[in-house]
Amino acid sequence: MTSWRLVIHGGCGAMRLRPEEERAGLAGLNDALDAGSRLLHRGGSAIDAVEAAARVLEDDPAFNAGRGSVLAHDGHIELDAAIMDGRSRSAGAVAGLRRVRSPISAARAVMENSPHVLLSFGGAEEFAREQGLESVDPSWFEIPERRGQLERVLKSGGGFDADVKFGTIGAVAVDVHGHVAAATSTGGLTAKRWGRIGDSPLIGAGTYADDRAAAVSATGSGEYFIRAAAAHEVAARIRMLGESLQQAIDAVLQDIQSLGGTGGLIGVSPDGDAAWGFTTAGMYRGRADAEGREVAVHGAAT
Ligand code: ASP
């Protein structure tokens, strides 16, 4: 038996947070660790645990996923998510959802109940409806603060700025059977346009899980994570270069930085190793195992 482990993130960035914002984020991380740990502790699967943890963070307005997601250029919210099971490398993903309450569960339904990996926009919405997943009015996802953020970004001409906080959420887990899984869910980037899809729902970019190496979830400037095939690259470095999980995460983040991107990665390996890293000032992050737990936002990256 392996020892179970769960690692989560709630996005990274400059993290200049008001005390009440920071408290709300840390409380959300603890709730998500509770949901995932409960399952793993009683022998549940990594895939169930990452979905459970992600669903809690999606419903929490402190994060840019599900409720509380950022607004696109036209003021709408479009949600992306992916999930992957390291046992079989089965994967499911959705992009551009506007009404499905839990994009991560829609991604899981794509993985389990469709022959496809990635569904987008109207088709993904229709599939989720057919699967009986809960729909909400798009206004349910919106919190007032995000409207102000969009206005600020539009006024400044758009694009990334130093104050940006990537609030995407992710979870990776290894269960007592040594299987790994990864989940990532996001509203993407504030003021995104033209049906932009980021790294989060792209298998191999923002999300990857392989029992031969690791489960990985990303947050940060998605375009760079796509170009680096970041999550897959972590797994590939472990498998082919024999690097440790931490070495592989650090190397991939360095590579992304050399391209001009910033962000963070979390990972677990089938032998129970857990690691994280980020090249921003902070990252909402947490980890739990049978011995205890830790949540943090500032401080050292490893
Ligand atoms: N990586 C996400 C994206 O580019 C953003 C984030 O991490 O918050 O869509």
Side-chain angles (χ1 to χ4, degrees):
M1 295 261 269
T2 320
S3 316
W4 64 267
R5 279 192 126 167
L6 174 65
V7 184
I8 59 175
H9 71 74
C12 62
M15 296 317 214
R16 292 191 202 101
L17 302 164
R18 294 191 302 275
E20 64 277 15
E21 274 180 321
E22 181 167 327
R23 267 197 305 277
L26 294 174
L29 293 176
N30 270 312
D31 291 346
L33 287 176
D34 283 345
S37 302
R38 212 175 293 132
L39 294 171
L40 291 164
H41 183 69
R42 54 167 199 254
S45 66
I47 194 81
D48 284 344
V50 295
E51 183 188 8
R55 282 179 67 110
V56 169
L57 295 170
E58 284 180 335
D59 262 5
D60 189 327
F63 305 99
N64 170 25
R67 183 143 191 267
S69 282
V70 299
L71 305 188
H73 195 270
D74 64 1
H76 285 96
I77 289 177
E78 289 181 350
L79 305 164
D80 303 336
I83 194 162
M84 186 161 183
D85 189 336
R87 274 178 296 198
S88 50
R89 276 178 284 154
S90 308
V94 286
L97 291 178
R98 291 192 176 189
R99 292 182 169 271
V100 178
R101 176 166 176 173
S102 173
I104 202 64
S105 294
R108 183 154 185 191
V110 172
M111 175 173 88
E112 291 179 344
N113 303 330
S114 90
H116 305 302
V117 170
L118 172 60
L119 301 182
S120 65
F121 300 95
E125 210 86 58
E126 192 183 324
F127 172 76
R129 215 173 19 250
E130 281 174 16
Q131 291 291 307
L133 295 176
E134 186 184 353
S135 270
V136 290
D137 188 84
S139 62
W140 187 84
F141 294 111
E142 191 180 327
I143 59 167
E145 192 195 329
R146 301 294 189 215
R147 185 66 58 184
Q149 277 171 4
L150 174 63
E151 278 156 18
R152 276 196 301 282
V153 173
L154 293 180
K155 215 177 278 164
S156 71
F160 308 110
D161 68 45
D163 269 336
V164 82
K165 172 176 160 288
F166 302 109
T168 289
I169 66 94
V172 293
V174 51
D175 61 33
V176 294
H177 308 290
H179 299 305
V180 298
T184 312
S185 184
T186 188
L189 294 178
T190 301
K192 63 184 182 180
R193 291 180 91 168
W194 307 300
R196 180 262 188 192
I197 295 169
D199 59 317
S200 310
L202 299 186
I203 298 303
T207 308
Y208 201 68
D210 181 350
D211 269 7
R212 299 171 301 172
V216 181
S217 171
T219 171
S221 41
E223 278 66 12
Y224 295 91
F225 283 72
I226 295 171
R227 289 163 55 198
H232 181 268
E233 184 82 354
V234 170
R237 294 185 75 101
I238 294 169
R239 208 155 49 81
M240 295 191 260
L241 297 178
E243 289 184 350
S244 71
L245 180 63
Q246 189 70 57
Q247 283 170 334
I249 284 178
D250 292 346
V252 171
L253 288 172
Q254 283 307 313
D255 181 44
I256 288 170
Q257 205 162 27
S258 77
L259 299 175
T262 54
L265 289 163
I266 57 170
V268 292
S269 67
D271 56 10
D273 200 9
W276 53 44
F278 48 94
T279 52
T280 47
M283 177 166 83
Y284 269 130
R285 57 201 187 276
R287 53 180 145 200
D289 56 29
E291 256 83 75
R293 71 164 60 177
E294 172 191 2
V295 293
V297 57
H298 306 289
T302 53

